[in-house]
Amino acid sequence: MNSLRAKLAPLGPLLRRSIVDMSYSHHFVDFQGSAIPTAMKKLLVTQLSPDFRKAVTLMPSVPVPVPGDGDLLIRNRYVGINASDINFSSGRYDASVKPPFDIGFEGIGEVVALGLSASKNFAVGQPVAYVQSGSFAEYTVVPAQVAIPVPSLTPEFLTVLISGTTAYISLKEFGDLSKGKRVLVTAAAGGTGQFAVQLAKNANCYVIGTCSSDEKAGFLKSIGCDLPINYKAENVASVIKEKFPEGVDVVYESVGGEMFDLSVKCLATKGHLIIIGFISGYKTPLGILPVKEAALPAVLLKKSASIHGFFLTHYMSEYKEAIMSLVKLHRSGKLVCEVDNGELSPEGKFTGLESVFRAVDYLYTGKNIGKIVVELPHLVNSKL
C-alpha cells in the first residue's frame, strides 16, 4: 500500500485518496479542495421511446463511478444536445440494448480522479473533452484514450466534437469542394449546418443555406453564407430554380422528408447529396418520413448524380485530423463555433441536468442558432 501511495505522490497532494476510498466508498478529493460526493445525478433511459421525456428519467442519486487503471473521472461542465439523442433513447442504433442505459454523447469537464496508467498523459484539474455515451451525468468515467485535452473549459470547443467533425469529414469525403461550386446546406443555422456553411465558404464555394427565420438568415450572412433562404417566407425550390437553373453541385442535407425530395430535384449534373440525418422524421414511430423513392433511381441516373449517407462512427480513423483542423481554423479566426445556451428560450438558460429535457424540446422547435449546450455548474461547498 505504501508503494502505491508513493507512485501516486507525483500527482500531488490534491489527488490524495485512500485505497479503501478508491475501491469502495468513492469519496475523492478534487483539485479545488472540495469533496467529490459519493452520489450524483444522471439521466437514464428507462423505456424505449422517440419521446425523450417518456424515455428518459432523471436519477437524483446514483453512485459516482470509479475510474479504472486507464480511466479518467470527469466532472462534466458542459454537455451537448444532438438531434439523434431521441434516436438513441428509442433504441434505433442498437436493438440489442435494453433499458436501463446511459445517454448523452459528448461532454467537456475537468479531470477529478484518474487511474495510475492514465496519469502518464493526464493530471487532476486538466480540462478535457470526449465523445462517449453517458455524458448526461454530473460525473462520467472516460477511457484516457478517448479523452481530448483542451486549453480551457469553454463550450465552444464542444461544438466541434460531433457537429463540427460530422461536417468536416463528410464534406471532405463526399463533397469534392472547389472554387465556384454551388453548395446547398439545409438547416444551415443549426449545430452542424453552421460548420458546413463555413467549410464550404472556406473552400471558395457559393453557399446557399435554408433556415426558418430572419434572425437565422442574419446569422448565416455573418458567417459567410451567400444566399440564406428563410423557408417560412420564401419558396426554396422556386428561389433555387430561378437563381440556379442548372442546379447545385453539393447538398448537405439533415432534414429529410420534403426537403430531401427538393434537394434531389435541385441537384446539378454530377451533383452530390450528402445525408447526415433526417430530423423531420425522428419523432415519428418509424423514425423517418416518406420520400418519393420510386423516382429516385431515374433522377440520379439522368443526372449522373450520387447520394451518400454519412454516420460519424464509421469514420473515426479521420476523427483526430478533423478535430485538429477545426481547432486550428477556430484559433485563426476562420471558424465561428456558435453556441446556443438557451438564454432566449421561454424558461431561460439551460443549466443543470434537469434542463436537458427542455434543451431537447428546444432543438425540435427549430429555434436554436448554433449548437445547443447545457451547462452543469459546480459549486465548491467545502474546503479542506
Side-chain angles (χ1 to χ4, degrees):
M1 184 176 294
N2 289 333
S3 63
L4 179 57
R5 283 176 177 152
K7 291 179 181 179
L8 285 172
L11 299 181
L14 299 175
L15 187 57
R16 291 192 298 267
R17 296 166 55 187
S18 72
I19 301 306
V20 175
D21 284 342
M22 184 183 295
S23 304
Y24 300 104
S25 72
H26 338 160
H27 195 69
F28 311 142
V29 175
D30 77 7
F31 72 98
Q32 292 182 344
S34 63
I36 296 175
T38 57
M40 68 175 186
K41 296 178 181 178
K42 73 180 295 185
L43 297 188
L44 202 64
V45 177
T46 51
Q47 63 174 307
L48 299 182
S49 172
D51 184 331
F52 192 83
R53 289 182 178 270
K54 288 183 178 179
V56 179
T57 301
L58 173 64
M59 310 300 290
S61 181
V62 298
V64 172
V66 178
D69 179 61
D71 298 332
L72 311 175
L73 179 66
I74 298 171
R75 179 167 59 213
N76 293 313
R77 291 303 185 96
Y78 298 96
V79 294
I81 304 298
N82 294 278
S84 49
D85 286 329
I86 69 171
N87 283 333
F88 200 67
S89 71
S90 60
R92 290 177 183 142
Y93 287 157
D94 187 350
S96 67
V97 178
K98 305 300 180 185
F101 55 83
D102 294 341
I103 192 167
F105 294 128
E106 58 190 334
I108 182 171
E110 60 254 320
V111 177
V112 291
L114 70 173
L116 285 175
S117 63
S119 67
K120 297 176 183 177
N121 298 307
F122 294 91
V124 168
Q126 184 173 357
V128 295
Y130 64 91
V131 174
Q132 176 182 281
S133 179
S135 68
F136 291 167
E138 291 179 324
Y139 296 85
T140 302
V141 166
V142 175
Q145 64 264 29
V146 305
I148 304 168
V150 293
S152 60
L153 288 174
T154 55
E156 285 76 16
F157 190 86
L158 192 62
T159 66
V160 305
L161 294 180
I162 292 177
S163 298
T165 55
T166 294
Y168 182 92
I169 300 172
S170 63
L171 287 171
K172 180 181 178 182
E173 290 287 320
F174 306 120
D176 192 25
L177 301 181
S178 60
K179 184 177 181 179
K181 285 197 173 182
R182 297 149 298 186
V183 179
L184 170 64
V185 180
T186 64
T192 304
Q194 65 169 327
F195 291 106
V197 167
Q198 294 177 85
L199 292 170
K201 195 61 188 173
N202 286 343
N204 297 310
C205 298
Y206 185 95
V207 184
I208 309 110
T210 68
C211 61
S212 59
S213 69
D214 291 340
E215 182 184 11
K216 289 187 176 186
F219 166 70
L220 290 177
K221 288 182 180 179
S222 76
I223 60 172
C225 183
D226 298 286
L227 180 62
I229 304 175
N230 178 356
Y231 63 80
K232 292 191 175 180
E234 302 177 86
N235 183 289
V236 178
S238 298
V239 172
I240 293 177
K241 186 175 182 180
E242 177 185 351
K243 293 184 177 293
F244 311 99
E246 295 181 356
V248 298
D249 302 298
V250 180
V251 180
Y252 183 88
E253 218 291 279
S254 61
V255 178
E258 293 182 2
M259 186 60 76
F260 172 82
D261 290 330
L262 182 155
S263 299
V264 171
K265 289 179 180 178
C266 75
L267 275 176
T269 299
K270 298 183 181 180
H272 307 292
L273 192 156
I274 304 168
I275 303 172
I276 61 101
F278 33 90
I279 188 173
S280 63
Y282 290 173
K283 283 192 171 184
T284 65
L286 296 177
I288 189 170
L289 292 180
V291 296
K292 298 177 181 178
E293 295 182 32
L296 189 57
V299 171
L300 296 178
L301 179 62
K302 184 178 179 180
K303 298 180 178 182
S304 293
S306 61
I307 295 179
H308 302 276
F310 179 86
F311 194 49
L312 182 60
T313 304
H314 299 147
Y315 291 87
M316 295 311 290
S317 61
E318 309 293 323
Y319 188 80
K320 183 177 180 180
E321 189 272 330
I323 284 284
M324 292 175 64
S325 295
L326 291 165
V327 171
K328 183 178 179 180
L329 285 170
H330 179 60
R331 287 178 173 172
S332 67
K334 296 180 179 179
L335 190 71
V336 173
C337 300
E338 188 71 13
V339 171
D340 191 329
N341 63 9
E343 283 187 341
L344 300 180
S345 67
E347 296 178 52
K349 188 176 178 180
F350 302 130
T351 304
L353 281 175
E354 297 84 352
S355 67
V356 168
F357 297 96
R358 284 200 300 117
V360 172
D361 289 343
Y362 182 64
L363 175 63
Y364 278 88
T365 66
K367 295 181 179 179
N368 63 294
I369 295 179
K371 175 83 174 185
I372 298 178
V373 171
V374 174
E375 183 178 0
L376 306 182
H378 173 74
L379 299 177
V380 179
N381 296 318
S382 62
K383 292 288 184 179
L384 299 182

